Amino acid sequence: MGEEAGAGTGADAAAGSEGALVEAIAAGVAHEVRNPLNALQINLGILEQELSEIIPNHEGHVFEVIGKIAQELRSLDNFVTEFLRFARPPRPALEPVAVRPLLEDLVTFIGLECAGKGVSLSLVVAGGPEKVIVDGFQLKHAVLNLVLNALQATPEGGAIVIEVGSETAGLEIAVRDTGEGMSAEVLPRVFEAFFTTREGGTGLGLPIARRIVEAHGGTLAVRSREGAGTVATLHLPAAPGPR
Ligand SMILES: Nc1ncnc2c1ncn2[C@@H]1O[C@H](COP(=O)(O)OP(=O)(O)OP(=O)(O)O)[C@@H](O)[C@H]1O
Ligand SMILES: [Mg+2]
């Protein structure tokens, strides 16, 4: 496997003195972008409703145009939501969470999409603690981002394995795939905010996952070999807690 992607990238900058700037930008985006965006979506819905009372059966070019606008607004909305999740991560709400059911839920949630692409997804619990003190929603979100990346990089016939390790103290979850892997140029950049090689990618999946894991006092690392696959490993200490 190649070199582990280094820390100290853009994703970490917000933790330092730039944190206040990122938060100020986030507040601006929330107020100046998300609010009007929501108003646009609501008003477009009203427009569509009123037009459909005049034009029967949604016939006509105008509904196509409305559909396109709605789609663009949705993707902008997704982007803003992801950005705010990155820039203003909520403090983890810690409680004891059973590890296996959480991951089984995740496999059920994303399993159909994997099957639809002809990629197998399995969960292997080799050991580790039965329960951990975490924000279950956030942990699931972090692992989901890793599995989505694995799925996006893995062609038909490939495999993704979510593995709970037994060798270290605390909780170790590795997401392995047999996908395309990453080049030596891409790998060191994957934790940079907005770095993406995917069309339609936001480049916030890994930075968000890392922020969540670090907010629990843990680490997230990615190793990869081009053409062979990738493994993302998340480690939470035995007694996780917010930093
Ligand atoms: N399992 C993987 N296999 C191959 N490349 C990967 C994998 N995981 C991440 N990458 C690379 O790292 C980049 C950044 O990943 P990240 O999840 O942060 O953003 P993204 O997937 O591009 O967009 P999104 O914000 O929708 O998650 C990807 O564009 C891809 O180049
Ligand atoms: Mg991603």
Side-chain angles (χ1 to χ4, degrees):
M1 283 287 179
E3 280 299 293
E4 188 174 285
T9 53
D12 300 307
S17 61
E18 288 170 41
L21 178 62
V22 172
E23 267 169 42
I25 294 170
V29 168
H31 195 257
E32 304 299 332
V33 180
R34 194 171 52 182
N35 291 349
L37 190 57
N38 290 344
L40 280 173
Q41 287 175 308
I42 290 167
N43 282 296
L44 189 66
I46 294 171
L47 186 66
E48 185 177 19
Q49 175 74 32
E50 294 195 354
L51 276 174
S52 63
E53 281 164 19
I54 304 168
I55 307 169
N57 304 326
H58 266 63
E59 275 166 13
H61 183 56
V62 70
F63 290 107
E64 248 172 66
V65 174
I66 287 179
K68 278 191 190 134
I69 297 173
Q71 194 184 337
E72 292 299 327
L73 289 177
R74 267 197 304 277
S75 78
L76 196 52
D77 195 24
N78 283 344
F79 173 79
V80 170
T81 304
E82 282 296 277
F83 170 72
L84 291 177
R85 207 174 258 162
F86 166 71
R88 296 199 302 197
R91 187 172 270 279
L94 299 177
E95 56 181 354
V97 171
V99 176
R100 186 192 277 270
L102 179 137
L103 294 175
E104 281 171 350
D105 268 8
L106 184 78
V107 168
T108 307
F109 178 71
I110 195 77
L112 267 184
E113 205 173 319
C114 292
K117 203 186 162 191
V119 172
S120 77
L121 173 65
S122 50
L123 171 65
V124 177
V125 182
E130 200 177 309
K131 283 190 173 181
V132 283
I133 310 287
V134 292
D135 183 317
F137 178 80
Q138 289 190 12
L139 178 63
K140 207 192 259 185
H141 188 81
V143 181
L144 178 66
N145 283 358
L146 304 181
V147 176
L148 281 175
N149 281 349
L151 180 59
Q152 283 149 358
T154 304
E156 190 178 350
I160 302 170
V161 182
I162 305 172
E163 211 174 277
V164 181
S166 60
E167 280 166 28
T168 52
L171 174 66
E172 188 173 284
I173 301 174
V175 178
R176 295 173 192 280
D177 67 64
T178 59
E180 65 201 22
M182 285 172 248
S183 68
E185 289 77 47
V186 167
L187 184 58
R189 302 194 58 193
V190 294
F191 289 109
E192 280 177 30
F194 303 112
F195 174 79
T196 182
T197 60
R198 289 196 307 109
E199 201 181 321
T202 306
L204 287 176
L206 283 175
I208 289 172
R210 181 178 257 185
R211 276 205 152 201
I212 289 174
V213 173
E214 290 185 347
H216 285 80
T219 57
L220 174 62
V222 174
R223 287 177 298 142
S224 186
R225 193 151 31 114
E226 201 167 9
T230 299
V231 49
T233 308
L234 170 169
H235 185 264
L236 295 183
R243 292 201 309 191

